[in-house]
Structures are given as C-alpha cells and as structure tokens.
Amino acid sequence: MAEYPREITERFHGTPEQTATALIGEPPGRWQTVVIEDHDPSWADRYTAARDGIRQALGDRILSIDHVGSTSVPGLAAKPIIDIDLLLSGTGDESAYVPDLERAGYRLLLREPWWHGHRMLISAAEDVHLHVWPPGAPEPIRHRLLRDWLRTHPSDRDLYAVTKRRLAADPDGYTLSKNDVIDQILARAFAATPVTSPDGGLGVRGDHREERAHHPLAG
C-alpha cells in the first residue's frame, strides 16, 4: 500500500512570528468561550445555505466546496460553527474573490500565505468559518479524511467528543490541546485508507459539481 506524503500526514506548524501577523481586524467574540453542543441536524442545512450563497458570489471560480469540521459529522458534539473548505485557482490575489465574498456578508479574518496559501473569512454572525485554499493544498485532504473517518468510526467520534468537552473550559488552549487526539485519529485513518492517487486518494472534489470538485477547524 502506498503511503500518504508527509505534507498530508504531518501537521503544519507556523512560526510564532507568522502566527502573530495572521489576524486581520478584531477577533470574533465567539473565540472568547468554547461551548460544545450536542449534534444538531440543522447544521447540515446551515452549510447548504452558506454554500449556496458562496456559489452565487463566486460562480465558476469555485473548484471545490466542502462541509468539514465537527458539524459535518452526524452525532458528533461540536461548537455550532460551520467550517467550509473552498478551493480556488489561487488565493494570493485576494482582489479576485474577497470583495465578492464581502458583498455576500463575509470578512477576511486570517491571512496565512505560508500555510499553503490559506485565507479564512468569517460570516457576519461569526457562525461560519470559510477556509480558502489553492488546488493541491494538503490541509483540505486531511479535513475530508478526518470527517469521513469519524462518520464511519463511532468509537473515534466519541473519543473526540469526550476530549472536546473536557478541554472546553480552557478557550485559550482548546485548539492546540485537541490536536493530539486529532493526530491519533488521523494516524489510524492514514493506516487504514489506501492511497490511490497523488493527492491521497481523496481527490480535490467537493460538492460544487455534486462531487466534482496553528488554526484547525472550529469544532
């Protein structure tokens, strides 16, 4: 069985200097606390509504769009924030997509060109995190692999939920602290999932063509 490339299996670590310059404007008020809720089936509908608005704003510029993060996993407790991975042909030219997304109600919050060109925009209600990546970025592959594994492995889904509830009392350390269990779960997924194509066997497809197509996910 072929192995996943290191850029997929190994977590990216930005330098403190890079992290310090990433934030644009004021951080969301929701970042002050961590509230973990039982899974809400309406989260799927919220994703669909957000996806449709993004499609209307960007049209054929979208290469792929996916619901990722904890709210995309039925039965998984999560922060009620919808994470979306959006692939565009290039993220460096923000003038080609940020103004249109701003008119759709988003604002640019994070600029991290060193992290595979990542940008993150946030909805006006601060309840959607829109992660923008160029084609070939490894992080969306990790996100989809984790999502699909948790959807089909209840024991790891429950382990992740218990871990998040335990860590929720520390908003400042929550994101970094849960990385350890994410890496443990992903290690099992990497070992069990065969690599069948250069991007890790998952393709770059999202649901833009109905299956064509640090700051971990919020949940």
Side-chain angles (χ1 to χ4, degrees):
M1 181 185 299
E3 295 183 354
Y4 284 87
R6 289 180 59 186
E7 62 266 27
I8 294 176
T9 60
E10 295 185 3
R11 182 179 298 281
F12 174 86
H13 295 283
T15 67
E17 292 77 15
Q18 289 172 333
T19 301
T21 63
L23 184 66
I24 301 168
E26 293 297 319
R30 286 176 178 262
W31 286 9
Q32 303 302 315
T33 59
V34 175
V35 178
I36 303 298
E37 299 183 0
D38 291 340
H39 184 84
D40 185 341
S42 71
W43 290 341
D45 295 332
R46 287 176 49 201
Y47 161 71
T48 299
R51 179 202 63 192
D52 291 349
I54 295 164
R55 285 179 174 175
Q56 186 174 5
L58 298 179
D60 289 341
R61 283 169 285 178
I62 296 174
L63 303 177
S64 172
I65 187 166
D66 265 303
H67 187 192
V68 293
S70 294
T71 60
S72 69
V73 179
L76 180 58
K79 295 196 297 181
I81 296 174
I82 306 301
D83 279 290
I84 298 175
D85 275 345
L86 171 67
L87 267 64
L88 300 177
S89 61
T91 58
D93 182 8
E94 295 174 3
S95 66
Y97 61 95
V98 169
D100 290 324
L101 290 171
E102 288 176 338
R103 283 188 285 271
Y106 292 85
R107 71 176 175 95
L108 184 62
L109 182 67
L110 296 174
R111 179 185 292 120
E112 299 173 303
W114 56 84
W115 190 25
H116 313 296
H118 176 249
R119 269 68 170 173
M120 190 181 96
L121 294 91
I122 191 170
S123 63
E126 301 182 353
D127 60 352
V128 176
H129 287 180
L130 178 59
H131 303 270
V132 186
W133 309 92
E139 201 66 25
I141 298 171
R142 289 169 57 90
H143 295 168
R144 293 195 299 275
L145 183 60
L146 179 63
R147 176 198 65 191
D148 294 346
W149 181 267
L150 292 174
R151 284 176 173 176
T152 55
H153 292 78
S155 59
D156 275 337
R157 181 196 65 199
D158 294 345
L159 169 63
Y160 190 30
V162 168
T163 300
K164 291 193 294 180
R165 291 190 188 277
R166 175 172 54 83
L167 297 173
D170 178 18
D172 292 334
Y174 173 81
T175 295
L176 291 177
S177 296
K178 70 176 183 175
N179 283 348
D180 287 343
V181 73
I182 290 174
D183 288 340
Q184 293 171 24
I185 294 170
L186 276 173
R188 289 189 280 275
F190 291 139
T193 307
V195 177
T196 57
S197 68
D199 67 356
L202 301 179
V204 297
R205 299 186 303 172
D207 64 9
H208 173 55
R209 298 288 185 259
E210 298 312 318
E211 297 306 326
R212 182 210 78 156
H214 200 133
H215 304 284
L217 300 184

